[in-house]
Amino acid sequence: MIVYLNGDYLGKEKAQISVDDRAFLFADGVYEVIRAYNGRLFKLPEHLRRLEQSVRGIRIPFSEFKKVGEVAERLVAENKLTSGNALIYVEVTRGSAARTHAFPPPETKPNVYVGPLEFSKKRHSQQEKGISVILVPDIRWSRCDIKTVGLLPNVLMAQRALDEGADDAIFVRDAVAIEGTASNFFGIFQGVVVTHPKTNLMLAGITRDVVLELCGNLGLPTRESPILESDLPQADELFVTSTTMEVTPVVEVDGRKVGDGKPGRITRRLQKAFREYVESLGD
Ligand code: PDD
């Protein structure tokens, strides 16, 4: 596997980074996960724009977003990821420097890594069968709109879900079901597709935007408003969206079935529309 690290293309096993890297020491870095379908990076400009927002959000002096896009494209080709599904991971950290909490000297160069991620086959069966989730307290900070590598709450809650026999967890803050550990959360209530508005408390998912656009195309009404935990039992359907999960039905919440416990009709329509949308980009 060929990866990119700070200007070099090299075998992944040769890619090494300093123990003074600030993401290692402080989680002082941001990232993106970009999907490639048949060798084409899906929504690359949108991912680069969000990377820019994240970098700005934590004040890393980095601006080579076009270059990151070119690197990602080259890695897809060099690793022969030109058919089927692939994922490209991008991370930009504040660089390596003597450990001080405040920013390092201004000449410190950001560390930039781009490399393929393993593609998990279980995603397909989860999209077919749906997933079970548990509701967990949102113990994250209040800048969840920045895609930082500080993911410990997400890690702990994803593991809690597995420990409890569920597939994933949904963060609940102030009685609102906000998003998953690595996905956005949608509910369908009396035919209206509802998802949390873009605020500092959630990540503005790129898949979320695509799905809202597809709802528009299909004539499905949408509303960007908080989904109350107490409203979940009334949901006709629930699903999550992300680069890795696309549109994945949620069929069980805290052990209680959603609807009849099977992926819902509208969710299925959106999955189909999503697939067709991806295929149309390949033409
Ligand atoms: N995560 N919310 C959170 C907290 C996320 O981590 C993600 C994506 C999303 C969905 O964003 P998008 O549709 O742009 O992928 C929402 C990536 C996939 C990850 O951490 O692996």
Side-chain angles (χ1 to χ4, degrees):
M1 202 58 93
I2 308 292
V3 303
Y4 171 94
L5 181 63
N6 294 335
D8 296 324
Y9 291 87
L10 66 179
K12 190 176 179 190
E13 65 292 343
K14 296 217 179 78
Q16 292 186 358
I17 195 149
S18 166
V19 291
D20 282 332
D21 173 66
R22 290 187 55 102
F24 180 63
L25 295 172
F26 296 112
D28 191 354
V30 296
Y31 78 107
E32 280 295 323
V33 179
I34 312 170
R35 185 137 178 171
Y37 295 104
N38 295 325
R40 281 169 201 254
L41 288 159
F42 183 65
K43 297 280 168 189
L44 178 62
E46 286 78 0
H47 281 280
L48 296 179
R49 211 170 301 135
R50 189 170 63 187
L51 181 65
E52 182 171 1
Q53 283 163 4
S54 296
V55 156
R56 288 221 180 114
I58 68 165
R59 299 169 59 198
I60 293 180
F62 176 80
S63 55
E64 290 167 49
F65 304 102
K66 194 161 162 263
K67 165 90 182 171
V68 169
E70 287 161 8
V71 169
E73 273 164 353
R74 180 164 159 189
L75 288 179
V76 167
E78 292 221 358
N79 289 296
K80 303 197 171 39
L81 302 171
T82 41
S83 67
N85 291 289
L87 293 169
I88 297 291
Y89 179 81
V90 179
E91 182 168 331
V92 179
T93 84
R94 204 181 304 280
S96 308
R99 186 180 184 277
T100 54
H101 284 69
F103 292 174
E107 63 275 14
T108 308
K109 283 206 190 69
N111 284 321
V112 182
Y113 172 78
V114 188
L117 291 179
E118 209 165 278
F119 190 82
S120 160
K121 292 240 160 37
K122 101 176 168 217
R123 309 270 181 213
H124 287 300
S125 72
Q126 290 193 333
Q127 282 184 40
E128 272 319 297
K129 289 192 268 180
I131 59 169
S132 58
V133 300
I134 58 170
L135 301 176
V136 296
D138 196 343
I139 57 171
R140 298 177 299 168
W141 69 335
S142 55
R143 290 304 307 273
C144 300
D145 54 317
I146 303 174
K147 203 163 169 52
T148 84
V149 296
L151 291 172
L152 198 46
N154 311 55
V155 166
L156 292 173
M157 293 309 178
Q159 185 58 40
R160 186 192 286 189
L162 296 186
D163 291 346
E164 294 187 13
D167 297 303
D168 208 345
I170 303 292
F171 286 117
V172 176
R173 193 190 296 242
D174 295 333
V176 174
I178 295 186
E179 65 176 339
T181 61
S183 61
N184 292 116
F185 184 54
F186 285 72
I188 300 169
F189 297 89
Q190 296 175 334
V192 181
V193 181
V194 184
T195 194
H196 198 279
K198 287 182 183 174
T199 68
N200 58 309
L201 298 181
M202 52 84 84
L203 185 80
I206 287 161
T207 322
R208 174 188 177 280
D209 280 346
V210 172
V211 165
L212 287 174
E213 190 186 320
L214 294 175
C215 287
N217 298 346
L218 294 172
L220 297 168
T222 60
R223 192 172 70 235
E224 293 178 62
S225 69
I227 299 174
L228 292 178
E229 176 183 352
S230 57
D231 285 344
L232 290 178
Q234 280 86 57
D236 305 324
E237 304 179 24
L238 298 173
F239 62 91
V240 292
T241 65
S242 77
T243 297
T244 46
M245 302 171 91
E246 300 177 318
V247 177
T248 294
V250 172
V251 294
E252 203 180 290
V253 179
D254 280 343
R256 197 181 48 229
K257 278 183 189 169
V258 179
D260 62 1
K262 300 213 178 74
R265 194 174 51 84
I266 293 174
T267 309
R268 286 288 188 227
R269 273 181 79 190
L270 287 169
Q271 287 183 313
K272 181 161 175 277
F274 189 86
R275 184 102 332 260
E276 287 167 0
Y277 181 77
V278 166
E279 278 159 17
S280 74
L281 300 177
D283 295 343

